[in-house]
Protein backbone atom coordinates (compact mmCIF):
# COMPACT_ATOMS: atom_id res chain seq x y z
CA UNK A 1 0.00 0.00 0.00
CA UNK A 2 1.35 3.41 -0.90
CA UNK A 3 1.93 5.44 2.25
CA UNK A 4 3.56 8.46 0.65
CA UNK A 5 2.42 11.20 -1.71
CA UNK A 6 4.16 13.52 -4.15
CA UNK A 7 4.00 17.20 -3.36
CA UNK A 8 5.82 20.31 -2.26
CA UNK A 9 7.23 21.70 0.97
CA UNK A 10 6.90 25.48 1.11
CA UNK A 11 8.58 28.09 3.31
CA UNK A 12 6.27 31.11 3.45
CA UNK A 13 7.57 34.30 5.05
CA UNK A 14 5.65 37.35 6.15
CA UNK A 15 6.20 41.08 6.39
CA UNK A 16 5.79 42.98 9.63
CA UNK A 17 3.05 45.62 9.88
CA UNK A 18 3.35 48.53 9.33
CA UNK A 19 7.12 48.56 8.66
CA UNK A 20 6.82 45.99 5.82
CA UNK A 21 10.14 44.47 6.88
CA UNK A 22 10.43 40.71 6.49
CA UNK A 23 9.87 39.06 9.87
CA UNK A 24 11.67 36.01 11.25
CA UNK A 25 8.49 33.91 11.22
CA UNK A 26 8.27 31.19 8.56
CA UNK A 27 5.40 28.82 7.83
CA UNK A 28 6.65 25.34 6.89
CA UNK A 29 3.79 23.51 5.22
CA UNK A 30 2.96 21.15 2.41
CA UNK A 31 0.68 20.56 -0.54
CA UNK A 32 -0.23 17.25 -2.17
CA UNK A 33 -0.25 17.17 -5.96
CA UNK A 34 -3.17 14.72 -5.74
CA UNK A 35 -5.32 17.62 -4.49
CA UNK A 36 -4.61 19.62 -7.65
CA UNK A 37 -2.86 22.46 -5.80
CA UNK A 38 0.62 23.90 -5.57
CA UNK A 39 2.47 26.08 -3.06
CA UNK A 40 1.39 29.36 -4.68
CA UNK A 41 -2.21 28.27 -4.37
CA UNK A 42 -1.68 27.72 -0.67
CA UNK A 43 -0.02 31.15 -0.45
CA UNK A 44 -3.21 32.73 -1.77
CA UNK A 45 -5.31 30.83 0.74
CA UNK A 46 -3.08 31.86 3.65
CA UNK A 47 -3.05 35.48 2.47
CA UNK A 48 -6.84 35.76 2.65
CA UNK A 49 -7.73 37.71 5.77
CA UNK A 50 -4.09 38.23 6.74
CA UNK A 51 -3.10 41.94 7.04
CA UNK A 52 0.59 41.08 6.62
CA UNK A 53 1.90 40.42 3.13
CA UNK A 54 3.07 36.83 2.72
CA UNK A 55 6.11 36.05 0.56
CA UNK A 56 7.05 32.94 -1.41
CA UNK A 57 9.36 32.31 -4.34
CA UNK A 58 10.62 29.27 -6.23
CA UNK A 59 13.77 28.95 -4.14
CA UNK A 60 11.62 28.40 -1.06
CA UNK A 61 9.75 25.41 -2.53
CA UNK A 62 11.10 21.86 -2.32
CA UNK A 63 9.49 19.13 -4.41
CA UNK A 64 9.50 15.63 -3.01
CA UNK A 65 8.00 12.18 -3.58
CA UNK A 66 7.04 11.73 0.10
CA UNK A 67 5.91 15.16 1.22
CA UNK A 68 4.29 14.09 4.50
CA UNK A 69 7.47 12.37 5.67
CA UNK A 70 9.65 15.36 4.77
CA UNK A 71 7.34 17.81 6.55
CA UNK A 72 7.13 15.61 9.65
CA UNK A 73 10.92 15.33 9.82
CA UNK A 74 11.35 19.10 9.38
CA UNK A 75 8.81 19.90 12.08
CA UNK A 76 10.57 17.50 14.45
CA UNK A 77 14.07 18.79 13.71
CA UNK A 78 13.06 22.43 14.14
CA UNK A 79 10.67 21.81 17.05
CA UNK A 80 12.57 24.15 19.36
CA UNK A 81 11.93 27.00 16.91
CA UNK A 82 8.20 26.37 16.57
CA UNK A 83 6.00 29.29 17.62
CA UNK A 84 2.53 27.95 16.89
CA UNK A 85 1.03 25.47 14.48
CA UNK A 86 3.25 25.38 11.39
CA UNK A 87 4.92 28.73 12.13
CA UNK A 88 8.59 28.70 13.11
CA UNK A 89 11.01 31.47 14.08
CA UNK A 90 14.06 31.21 11.83
CA UNK A 91 16.47 34.04 12.50
CA UNK A 92 17.90 35.53 9.35
CA UNK A 93 18.61 34.10 5.94
CA UNK A 94 21.13 31.66 7.43
CA UNK A 95 18.61 29.70 9.52
CA UNK A 96 16.03 29.81 6.73
CA UNK A 97 18.65 28.51 4.30
CA UNK A 98 19.55 25.70 6.71
CA UNK A 99 15.90 24.64 6.92
CA UNK A 100 15.49 24.65 3.14
CA UNK A 101 18.76 22.73 2.77
CA UNK A 102 17.51 20.15 5.26
CA UNK A 103 14.30 19.77 3.26
CA UNK A 104 16.32 19.15 0.10
CA UNK A 105 18.43 16.52 1.86
CA UNK A 106 15.30 14.74 3.06
CA UNK A 107 13.81 14.89 -0.44
CA UNK A 108 17.03 13.35 -1.83
CA UNK A 109 16.80 10.62 0.81
CA UNK A 110 13.26 9.88 -0.35
CA UNK A 111 14.43 9.67 -3.96
CA UNK A 112 17.15 7.21 -2.99
CA UNK A 113 14.55 4.82 -1.58
CA UNK A 114 12.34 4.72 -4.66
CA UNK A 115 14.26 1.82 -6.32
CA UNK A 116 13.91 -0.17 -3.09
CA UNK A 117 10.16 0.46 -3.06
CA UNK A 118 9.89 -0.65 -6.69
CA UNK A 119 11.85 -3.82 -5.91
CA UNK A 120 9.47 -4.60 -3.03
CA UNK A 121 6.48 -4.11 -5.33
CA UNK A 122 7.99 -6.44 -7.94
CA UNK A 123 8.69 -9.12 -5.36
CA UNK A 124 5.15 -8.77 -4.06
CA UNK A 125 3.81 -9.45 -7.53
CA UNK A 126 5.91 -12.61 -7.94
CA UNK A 127 4.87 -16.02 -6.57
CA UNK A 128 6.95 -17.16 -3.60
CA UNK A 129 9.06 -20.30 -3.95
CA UNK A 130 7.85 -22.21 -0.88
CA UNK A 131 11.27 -22.09 0.78
CA UNK A 132 11.50 -21.88 4.58
CA UNK A 133 14.75 -20.79 6.22
CA UNK A 134 16.05 -19.25 9.46
CA UNK A 135 16.22 -15.48 9.78
CA UNK A 136 19.31 -13.30 9.79
CA UNK A 137 20.13 -10.56 12.28
CA UNK A 138 19.42 -7.91 9.62
CA UNK A 139 15.99 -9.41 8.94
CA UNK A 140 15.16 -9.50 12.64
CA UNK A 141 16.22 -5.86 12.98
CA UNK A 142 14.09 -4.65 10.05
CA UNK A 143 11.12 -6.76 11.19
CA UNK A 144 11.40 -5.21 14.66
CA UNK A 145 11.45 -1.73 13.17
CA UNK A 146 8.46 -2.62 10.99
CA UNK A 147 6.20 -3.93 13.77
CA UNK A 148 7.18 -1.00 15.99
CA UNK A 149 6.33 1.56 13.30
CA UNK A 150 3.05 -0.14 12.45
CA UNK A 151 2.04 -0.13 16.11
CA UNK A 152 3.03 3.52 16.48
CA UNK A 153 0.85 4.41 13.51
CA UNK A 154 -2.03 2.42 15.00
CA UNK A 155 -1.68 4.21 18.35
CA UNK A 156 -1.73 7.57 16.55
CA UNK A 157 -4.93 6.55 14.76
CA UNK A 158 -6.51 5.57 18.08
CA UNK A 159 -5.67 8.94 19.66
CA UNK A 160 -7.02 10.72 16.58
CA UNK A 161 -10.22 8.72 17.02
CA UNK A 162 -10.48 9.88 20.64
CA UNK A 163 -10.07 13.51 19.58
CA UNK A 164 -12.71 13.17 16.86
CA UNK A 165 -15.10 11.51 19.32
CA UNK A 166 -14.62 14.47 21.68
CA UNK A 167 -15.31 16.92 18.84
CA UNK A 168 -18.47 15.03 17.81
CA UNK A 169 -19.70 14.98 21.40
CA UNK A 170 -19.03 18.71 21.73
CA UNK A 171 -21.09 19.42 18.61
CA UNK A 172 -23.96 17.29 19.92
CA UNK A 173 -23.89 19.32 23.14
CA UNK A 174 -24.29 22.57 21.20
CA UNK A 175 -20.67 23.76 21.35
CA UNK A 176 -18.79 25.16 18.37
CA UNK A 177 -15.33 23.59 17.91
CA UNK A 178 -14.98 25.16 14.46
CA UNK A 179 -11.51 26.51 15.20
CA UNK A 180 -10.27 22.93 15.62
CA UNK A 181 -12.22 20.95 13.05
CA UNK A 182 -14.44 21.12 10.03
CA UNK A 183 -17.41 18.78 10.00
CA UNK A 184 -19.01 17.43 6.86
CA UNK A 185 -21.96 15.16 6.23
CA UNK A 186 -21.32 11.91 4.35
CA UNK A 187 -24.27 10.39 2.55
CA UNK A 188 -24.42 6.86 1.19
CA UNK A 189 -25.89 5.13 -1.82
CA UNK A 190 -28.48 2.37 -1.39
CA UNK A 191 -26.86 -1.02 -0.75
CA UNK A 192 -27.79 -4.67 -0.37
CA UNK A 193 -28.01 -5.85 3.26
CA UNK A 194 -25.97 -9.04 3.05
CA UNK A 195 -26.05 -9.76 6.77
CA UNK A 196 -29.84 -9.57 7.05
CA UNK A 197 -30.30 -11.59 3.87
CA UNK A 198 -27.88 -14.32 5.01
CA UNK A 199 -29.69 -14.67 8.34
CA UNK A 200 -33.11 -15.00 6.71
CA UNK A 201 -32.23 -16.96 3.56
CA UNK A 202 -29.21 -19.13 4.31
CA UNK A 203 -30.19 -21.61 1.59
CA UNK A 204 -30.12 -18.93 -1.11
CA UNK A 205 -26.96 -17.45 0.38
CA UNK A 206 -25.19 -20.79 -0.01
CA UNK A 207 -26.63 -21.37 -3.48
CA UNK A 208 -25.25 -18.11 -4.86
CA UNK A 209 -21.72 -18.46 -3.55
CA UNK A 210 -19.00 -18.33 -6.19
CA UNK A 211 -15.28 -18.95 -6.08
CA UNK A 212 -13.17 -15.83 -6.60
CA UNK A 213 -9.42 -15.86 -7.12
CA UNK A 214 -7.38 -13.03 -5.67
CA UNK A 215 -3.68 -12.34 -5.30
CA UNK A 216 -2.42 -12.60 -1.74
CA UNK A 217 0.90 -10.95 -0.88
CA UNK A 218 0.50 -9.90 2.74
CA UNK A 219 3.71 -9.74 4.76
CA UNK A 220 3.06 -11.17 8.22
CA UNK A 221 5.72 -10.55 10.88
CA UNK A 222 6.19 -13.39 13.36
CA UNK A 223 6.09 -11.20 16.46
CA UNK A 224 4.57 -8.02 17.89
CA UNK A 225 6.12 -4.76 18.98
CA UNK A 226 7.57 -4.90 22.50
CA UNK A 227 8.32 -1.21 22.96
CA UNK A 228 7.26 1.89 21.05
CA UNK A 229 10.22 3.96 22.18
CA UNK A 230 10.39 6.31 25.17
CA UNK A 231 10.21 9.48 23.04
CA UNK A 232 7.11 8.31 21.17
CA UNK A 233 5.39 7.07 24.33
CA UNK A 234 6.11 10.36 26.10
CA UNK A 235 4.58 12.29 23.19
CA UNK A 236 1.43 10.14 23.25
CA UNK A 237 1.11 10.50 27.04
CA UNK A 238 1.38 14.27 26.68
CA UNK A 239 -1.30 14.28 23.95
CA UNK A 240 -3.65 12.29 26.16
CA UNK A 241 -3.06 14.66 29.08
CA UNK A 242 -3.75 17.60 26.80
CA UNK A 243 -6.97 15.98 25.57
CA UNK A 244 -8.13 15.48 29.16
CA UNK A 245 -7.48 19.17 29.87
CA UNK A 246 -9.28 20.29 26.70
CA UNK A 247 -12.22 18.05 27.57
CA UNK A 248 -12.58 19.98 30.79
CA UNK A 249 -11.78 23.48 29.53
CA UNK A 250 -13.34 23.30 26.02
CA UNK A 251 -10.35 25.31 24.76
CA UNK A 252 -10.60 24.01 21.21
CA UNK A 253 -7.60 25.96 19.92
CA UNK A 254 -5.40 23.46 21.77
CA UNK A 255 -6.78 20.73 19.50
CA UNK A 256 -5.02 22.36 16.54
CA UNK A 257 -1.64 22.07 18.27
CA UNK A 258 -2.39 18.51 19.33
CA UNK A 259 -3.35 17.45 15.83
CA UNK A 260 -0.19 18.95 14.38
CA UNK A 261 1.93 16.88 16.78
CA UNK A 262 -0.18 13.80 16.05
CA UNK A 263 0.09 14.28 12.28
CA UNK A 264 3.86 14.52 12.55
CA UNK A 265 4.12 11.44 14.74
CA UNK A 266 2.00 9.40 12.36
CA UNK A 267 3.86 10.71 9.31
CA UNK A 268 7.17 9.57 10.78
CA UNK A 269 5.75 6.18 11.78
CA UNK A 270 4.19 5.56 8.36
CA UNK A 271 7.43 6.41 6.59
CA UNK A 272 9.47 4.18 8.93
CA UNK A 273 7.00 1.36 8.25
CA UNK A 274 7.30 1.90 4.50
CA UNK A 275 11.10 1.84 4.56
CA UNK A 276 11.34 -1.10 6.98
CA UNK A 277 8.86 -3.14 4.97
CA UNK A 278 10.73 -2.53 1.72
CA UNK A 279 14.08 -3.42 3.29
CA UNK A 280 12.67 -6.59 4.86
CA UNK A 281 11.00 -7.70 1.63
CA UNK A 282 14.25 -7.17 -0.26
CA UNK A 283 16.09 -9.41 2.21
CA UNK A 284 13.41 -12.13 2.16
CA UNK A 285 13.37 -12.21 -1.64
CA UNK A 286 11.20 -15.00 -3.03
CA UNK A 287 11.32 -17.15 0.11
CA UNK A 288 7.97 -17.95 1.68
CA UNK A 289 8.86 -18.00 5.34
CA UNK A 290 11.75 -16.77 7.45
CA UNK A 291 11.53 -18.55 10.78
CA UNK A 292 11.15 -16.19 13.70
CA UNK A 293 10.90 -13.18 11.39
CA UNK A 294 7.97 -13.22 8.97
CA UNK A 295 5.85 -15.19 6.54
CA UNK A 296 5.51 -13.80 3.02
CA UNK A 297 3.51 -16.26 0.95
CA UNK A 298 2.60 -14.86 -2.46
CA UNK A 299 0.16 -16.40 -4.88
CA UNK A 300 -3.48 -16.68 -5.87
CA UNK A 301 -6.01 -17.86 -3.32
CA UNK A 302 -9.62 -18.83 -3.86
CA UNK A 303 -12.36 -17.45 -1.61
CA UNK A 304 -16.12 -17.86 -1.60
CA UNK A 305 -18.13 -14.73 -2.31
CA UNK A 306 -21.84 -14.03 -2.64
CA UNK A 307 -22.74 -13.42 -6.31
CA UNK A 308 -24.93 -10.37 -5.78
CA UNK A 309 -25.32 -9.53 -9.48
CA UNK A 310 -26.58 -12.99 -10.46
CA UNK A 311 -28.88 -13.19 -7.45
CA UNK A 312 -30.39 -9.78 -8.28
CA UNK A 313 -30.97 -10.85 -11.88
CA UNK A 314 -32.65 -14.13 -10.85
CA UNK A 315 -34.66 -12.70 -7.92
CA UNK A 316 -35.33 -8.99 -8.59
CA UNK A 317 -38.22 -8.55 -6.16
CA UNK A 318 -36.55 -10.36 -3.28
CA UNK A 319 -33.32 -8.49 -3.97
CA UNK A 320 -35.07 -5.12 -3.80
CA UNK A 321 -36.63 -6.02 -0.46
CA UNK A 322 -33.14 -6.11 1.09
CA UNK A 323 -31.98 -2.79 -0.31
CA UNK A 324 -31.52 -0.03 2.26
CA UNK A 325 -29.84 3.36 2.47
CA UNK A 326 -27.40 3.79 5.38
CA UNK A 327 -28.00 6.83 7.56
CA UNK A 328 -25.74 9.84 6.88
CA UNK A 329 -22.73 10.18 9.16
CA UNK A 330 -20.79 13.23 10.30
CA UNK A 331 -17.11 13.29 9.34
CA UNK A 332 -14.74 15.23 11.56
CA UNK A 333 -11.72 16.67 9.73
CA UNK A 334 -9.21 17.95 12.25
CA UNK A 335 -7.22 21.08 11.47
CA UNK A 336 -3.50 21.42 12.02
CA UNK A 337 -3.33 25.12 11.26
CA UNK A 338 -5.29 28.15 12.40
CA UNK A 339 -4.64 29.84 9.09
Amino acid sequence: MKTYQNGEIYFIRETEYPSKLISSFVKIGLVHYSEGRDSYGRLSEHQTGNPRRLILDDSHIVKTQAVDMVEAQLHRRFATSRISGEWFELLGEKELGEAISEAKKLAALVDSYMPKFEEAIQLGNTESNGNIRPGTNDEIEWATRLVTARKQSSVCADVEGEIKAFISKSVSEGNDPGVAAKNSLRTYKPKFDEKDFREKHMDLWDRYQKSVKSWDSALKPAFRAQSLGSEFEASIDELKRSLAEVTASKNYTEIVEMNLVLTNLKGLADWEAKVSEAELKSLIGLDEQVTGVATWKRGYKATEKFDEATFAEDNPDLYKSFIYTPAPTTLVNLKKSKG
Side-chain angles (χ1 to χ4, degrees):
M1 181 177 66
K2 184 175 180 179
T3 56
Y4 58 93
Q5 293 191 59
N6 297 353
E8 297 174 356
I9 299 293
Y10 56 76
F11 296 80
I12 292 178
R13 294 186 293 174
E14 65 170 11
T15 58
E16 295 178 349
Y17 182 83
S19 68
K20 297 184 180 180
L21 296 174
I22 297 177
S23 79
S24 59
F25 299 128
V26 180
K27 185 177 181 66
I28 305 177
L30 65 79
V31 289
H32 296 121
Y33 288 147
S34 61
E35 297 175 354
R37 296 190 298 177
D38 63 12
S39 296
Y40 289 105
R42 285 295 286 154
L43 176 69
S44 297
E45 294 172 6
H46 291 313
Q47 185 64 76
T48 302
N50 192 331
R52 299 175 297 277
R53 186 170 70 90
L54 302 182
I55 303 171
L56 178 66
D57 58 57
D58 291 348
S59 65
H60 295 164
I61 297 173
V62 177
K63 298 180 180 180
T64 171
Q65 298 187 68
V67 69
D68 297 277
M69 172 269 184
V70 173
E71 185 199 47
Q73 287 279 11
L74 285 172
H75 284 187
R76 185 178 72 166
R77 296 187 186 190
F78 292 93
T80 56
S81 300
R82 191 163 72 90
I83 302 301
S84 176
E86 296 179 328
W87 285 95
F88 297 77
E89 185 172 26
L90 303 178
L91 302 175
E93 296 295 326
K94 183 177 182 293
E95 288 194 6
L96 174 60
E98 290 173 351
I100 294 173
S101 178
E102 187 67 25
K104 290 179 179 179
K105 289 178 183 178
L106 290 168
L109 176 64
V110 167
D111 289 343
S112 71
Y113 267 109
M114 291 304 148
K116 184 72 70 174
F117 294 155
E118 293 301 322
E119 179 190 6
I121 292 172
Q122 183 63 37
L123 286 169
N125 291 332
T126 305
E127 190 171 1
S128 51
N129 58 21
N131 187 43
I132 300 176
R133 61 172 175 80
T136 65
N137 289 336
D138 282 349
E139 288 168 334
I140 293 173
E141 179 183 348
W142 283 114
T144 301
R145 291 176 61 171
L146 173 59
V147 297
T148 300
R150 284 181 175 178
K151 183 60 178 178
Q152 288 177 340
S153 182
S154 176
V155 169
C156 288
D158 290 342
V159 175
E160 182 181 50
E162 292 178 23
I163 295 175
K164 288 183 176 181
F166 163 66
I167 293 293
S168 296
K169 185 173 184 292
S170 294
V171 172
S172 69
E173 293 172 346
N175 297 308
D176 180 16
V179 68
K182 180 180 180 181
N183 295 343
S184 59
L185 190 66
R186 171 181 283 183
T187 58
Y188 299 90
K189 296 180 180 179
K191 62 182 295 185
F192 180 68
D193 192 336
E194 287 191 355
K195 182 179 179 181
D196 189 31
F197 174 77
R198 183 173 64 251
E199 291 176 351
K200 295 179 179 177
H201 299 280
M202 182 60 73
D203 56 334
L204 288 174
W205 175 264
D206 291 338
R207 188 187 308 172
Y208 281 91
Q209 292 295 313
K210 67 176 181 179
S211 181
V212 178
K213 289 178 63 177
S214 60
W215 184 260
D216 182 18
S217 61
L219 176 67
K220 301 175 181 177
F223 53 89
R224 297 181 179 180
Q226 298 301 310
S227 171
L228 301 184
S230 58
E231 184 178 344
F232 176 85
E233 290 176 347
S235 296
I236 292 298
D237 288 343
E238 179 60 31
L239 283 170
K240 290 185 175 182
R241 282 194 294 270
S242 297
L243 180 58
E245 293 173 359
V246 171
T247 300
S249 68
K250 299 296 189 296
N251 182 10
Y252 299 110
T253 58
E254 292 299 318
I255 293 291
V256 178
E257 297 293 324
M258 291 167 57
N259 187 49
L260 177 62
V261 173
L262 192 59
T263 298
N264 291 340
L265 285 175
K266 192 172 188 305
L268 293 171
D270 287 344
W271 176 257
E272 172 71 5
K274 183 71 179 177
V275 170
S276 301
E277 182 176 312
E279 293 282 6
L280 181 57
K281 286 180 175 179
S282 177
L283 292 170
I284 293 174
L286 294 178
D287 293 332
E288 189 165 294
Q289 182 177 339
V290 179
T291 306
V293 176
T295 298
W296 196 22
K297 182 177 182 179
R298 285 143 284 169
Y300 284 102
K301 67 176 183 179
T303 56
E304 294 295 307
K305 183 178 180 181
F306 181 69
D307 190 348
E308 182 179 336
T310 301
F311 171 75
E313 183 178 349
D314 294 345
N315 309 272
D317 292 335
L318 182 59
Y319 176 74
K320 291 177 182 177
S321 69
F322 284 91
I323 295 294
Y324 77 105
T325 302
T329 56
T330 299
L331 298 180
V332 178
N333 301 303
L334 299 177
K335 299 178 181 178
K336 65 173 183 177
S337 172
K338 300 170 187 176

